[in-house]
Amino acid sequence: MRHLKLQNETTHSQEEEIIVASKFAQVYVDSGQWRNACELREKVLEARKRALGDEHPDTLMSMNNLASSYSDLGRMQETIELREKVLEASERTLGEKHPNTLSSMNNLASSYSDLGRMQEAVELREKAV
């Protein structure tokens, strides 16, 4: 298992708990338990922020996962806001052409499209290719 550089004195055990919780949230998603998935993903995100900081790639991944849960629950404004934050942070920390950034662009474009914001969706998709 790769070791993460943690900001605080987070133990290896705590690190593993975060990873297990993240995987368990996906089990909730896969079984259609979206509310439970969302609640657990919120906790995972807070733990990642404390352990890794707001813009660590694993924290950004957790933000994206939470945005997906918000979308599953029809909480589209929160989905858009979180995905915009993920994209901004990814561009700043990873660069515009990094695969994670491009994935974030695509996710945000999909959310824009879901809300009928087609021009914004098209512009992001064009930027991603």
Side-chain angles (χ1 to χ4, degrees):
M1 175 184 290
R2 68 185 169 101
H3 295 276
L4 304 175
K5 181 179 180 188
L6 305 177
Q7 282 189 341
N8 301 323
E9 293 183 19
T10 304
T11 67
H12 182 71
S13 175
Q14 290 169 324
E15 180 183 331
E16 286 184 348
E17 286 177 21
I18 295 169
I19 293 167
V20 169
S22 180
K23 290 180 180 183
F24 195 70
Q26 187 58 46
V27 171
Y28 279 142
V29 169
D30 293 343
S31 63
Q33 297 180 54
W34 296 293
R35 189 170 318 282
N36 290 335
C38 186
E39 290 171 5
L40 190 49
R41 284 177 167 173
E42 287 172 337
K43 291 176 183 175
V44 167
L45 177 58
E46 289 310 311
R48 292 254 165 128
K49 284 181 176 182
R50 279 192 310 274
L52 304 172
D54 290 348
E55 295 191 346
H56 187 280
D58 290 345
T59 303
L60 297 177
M61 178 185 62
S62 294
M63 289 174 74
N64 182 65
N65 291 343
L66 179 56
S68 293
S69 286
Y70 287 160
S71 179
D72 290 339
L73 294 172
R75 295 164 58 176
M76 295 309 295
Q77 187 57 42
E78 290 165 290
T79 300
I80 294 285
E81 290 171 5
L82 204 49
R83 287 194 167 150
E84 287 174 341
K85 288 180 184 178
V86 170
L87 178 56
E88 290 169 9
S90 293
E91 287 177 331
R92 187 171 43 258
T93 60
L94 302 172
E96 288 188 5
K97 296 301 179 187
H98 189 279
N100 292 5
T101 303
L102 298 174
S103 178
S104 296
M105 282 181 201
N106 185 60
N107 292 338
L108 181 55
S110 293
S111 294
Y112 284 157
S113 181
D114 290 345
L115 288 178
R117 294 167 62 175
M118 298 308 200
Q119 184 59 40
E120 290 165 290
V122 167
E123 289 171 8
L124 266 182
R125 290 194 196 276
E126 286 174 350
K127 187 177 177 181
V129 292

